[in-house]
Amino acid sequence: MLFSFFKRSKRRQLHTIAFYNLENLFDTKDDPKTLDDDFTPKGAKKWSNKRYRRKLYKLAKTISEIGNEHTTAPPALVGVAEVENKDVMEDLIGSEPLCDIDYDYVHYDSPDERGIDTALIYRKSNFTVKYSEPITLFVNNPNGERDTTRDILYVLGELNGEEVHVFVNHWPSRRNGVNETNYKRVIAAETLKRYMAKIEREFVDPNYIIMGDFNAGPKSESIKNLMELPYLYNPMEKLHIPHERGSVNYKRSWSLFDQIMVSHNFLNHKKGTHSFAHANIFDEVFLTEFKGKFKGTPYRTYVGRKYIGGYSDHFPVYIQLKFNG
């Protein structure tokens, strides 16, 4: 009986911090300012209200369960990528089972040509927002034209009373070739480092949580560039096994583009602070293809233009922090 009490108490002390690329979470309306035509009822993918609502429910269910192996509480923070607008965010946190959780969000429209953005979902009972802003990423294509890519979302807040600086990223894609686009992700890393240098001048020993779809693995040039900062730790690096495990799968090879890094402050156990407990990929069976040659890979919404009704082409990733009360 006493053991059971302490076990429950320990589970309550754990707080899940997650990141999830939601794979094209568009509403069904046509925005004339963005390239969202495919995701409309008359578009190439015949994106209907029924399909939209089904995807919302599946994503909401997934988010509510991230980290539930170790704690009964839903995630305290969830960074998300590929959301179209504030309406979509409202619909997501208003869907079952998230509607029963005290969630709110931070979101800004980015200059991305498709209209997809990053956002931060947070539990109001765990997290208080003090300040937020989008950090513009200035990247040019080889022809000199601006690549209108996603902003980096910055949120300063208090997690259970402890001040933290949170960054939600969705770095430039590899669509035009890994090597050809590598410089864009290096620029993203440098942009983030410059902003953090400003924080270092204004705050004493700040706590960082950096999450996102970096379109680059832990050993890539851009991530190594970021990890040159002496106060950062990447707990996800050990999770990547190219032929066995990752957050995305392409041509039967796994990559870990989705990662969460923290500052070394989270490696201590000082009273009144949070300490790092563990990291994982939330690759539960219900999120995977259940048959065929792609069995075990992320169960996505579309394969090309074919609707298959899954969740996302990415698995969520998460870390858990223990509050030292």
Side-chain angles (χ1 to χ4, degrees):
M1 191 84 169
L2 188 63
F3 174 76
S4 178
F5 168 78
F6 282 116
K7 188 175 181 180
R8 288 197 303 272
S9 178
K10 186 175 181 181
R11 285 169 69 90
R12 283 196 296 268
Q13 291 174 343
L14 286 176
H15 300 280
T16 301
I17 314 297
F19 176 81
Y20 195 10
N21 182 320
L22 304 181
E23 190 201 12
N24 296 320
L25 184 58
F26 286 89
D27 60 26
T28 59
K29 304 168 191 170
D30 181 18
D31 183 345
K33 297 179 182 178
T34 63
L35 302 178
D36 68 343
D37 293 6
D38 283 354
F39 287 92
T40 58
K42 294 181 179 180
K45 296 191 175 182
K46 295 180 170 54
W47 187 234
S48 65
N49 190 61
K50 182 179 179 180
R51 291 179 176 183
Y52 174 54
R53 293 292 166 185
R54 183 180 294 170
K55 184 175 175 79
L56 284 171
Y57 170 74
K58 288 188 172 186
L59 295 175
K61 179 180 182 293
T62 303
I63 289 170
S64 71
E65 296 183 10
I66 297 174
N68 64 359
E69 180 183 355
H70 301 286
T71 179
T72 55
L77 297 175
V78 185
V80 293
E82 296 201 12
V83 295
E84 185 181 15
N85 50 42
K86 282 183 168 61
D87 291 342
V88 162
M89 291 303 301
E90 292 284 353
D91 288 344
L92 178 61
I93 66 171
S95 298
E96 293 184 1
L98 298 188
C99 59
D100 296 324
I101 305 170
D102 59 331
Y103 276 135
D104 205 342
Y105 65 91
V106 180
H107 165 272
Y108 294 91
D109 286 317
S110 77
D112 183 85
E113 62 183 6
R114 289 200 295 141
I116 55 172
D117 313 319
T118 57
L120 180 70
I121 300 171
Y122 63 92
R123 285 195 72 187
K124 291 184 282 188
S125 54
N126 292 123
F127 190 77
T128 303
V129 176
K130 298 173 69 175
Y131 175 78
S132 67
E133 71 169 306
I135 304 169
T136 304
L137 189 56
F138 292 102
V139 179
N140 290 334
N141 289 314
N143 63 5
E145 291 182 356
R146 167 92 183 273
D147 180 1
T148 50
T149 190
R150 284 78 55 176
D151 297 326
I152 298 171
L153 174 61
Y154 167 65
V155 181
L156 169 63
E158 289 187 355
L159 179 64
N160 302 312
E162 184 177 20
E163 193 170 70
V164 293
H165 301 262
V166 183
F167 296 91
V168 185
N169 300 262
H170 187 189
W171 287 4
S173 77
R174 304 151 67 99
R175 189 174 296 110
N176 295 322
V178 178
N179 295 329
E180 290 80 0
T181 59
N182 181 58
Y183 74 95
K184 296 183 179 183
R185 293 180 290 279
V186 172
I187 290 173
E190 292 289 350
T191 300
L192 185 53
K193 286 168 69 175
R194 282 196 300 272
Y195 197 95
M196 293 169 72
K198 184 176 73 170
I199 292 174
E200 292 290 317
R201 293 191 293 268
E202 297 177 7
F203 294 84
V204 178
D205 203 17
N207 299 308
Y208 295 112
I209 299 174
I210 301 171
M211 62 174 76
D213 173 0
F214 297 93
N215 272 302
K219 296 182 179 180
S220 66
E221 180 185 0
S222 53
I223 296 297
K224 285 183 177 179
N225 184 306
L226 180 60
M227 296 307 297
E228 287 176 356
L229 295 174
Y231 44 78
L232 289 184
Y233 167 62
N234 188 355
M236 323 239 42
E237 189 171 353
K238 298 175 184 177
L239 300 176
H240 182 213
I241 307 173
H243 300 294
E244 296 181 28
R245 202 173 188 220
S247 61
V248 291
N249 189 284
Y250 181 66
K251 293 185 177 179
R252 313 196 60 86
S253 179
W254 288 101
S255 298
L256 191 64
F257 292 166
D258 308 271
Q259 301 168 65
I260 303 174
M261 300 89 160
V262 298
S263 51
H264 284 181
N265 314 52
F266 292 109
L267 301 180
N268 64 41
H269 294 81
K270 184 179 176 183
K271 188 175 176 63
T273 67
H274 296 80
S275 57
F276 172 77
H278 50 259
N280 209 346
I281 302 167
F282 192 66
D283 50 1
E284 296 294 308
V285 172
F286 74 89
L287 291 173
T288 67
E289 292 273 6
F290 54 90
K291 63 180 180 180
K293 64 179 181 179
F294 299 112
K295 182 178 179 180
T297 64
Y299 181 24
R300 54 194 305 178
T301 308
Y302 284 89
V303 175
R305 293 186 177 182
K306 182 182 178 182
Y307 177 75
I308 60 172
Y311 297 74
S312 171
D313 56 352
H314 289 242
F315 289 139
V317 295
Y318 69 95
I319 64 170
Q320 289 183 315
L321 303 176
K322 178 186 176 185
F323 183 68
N324 304 299

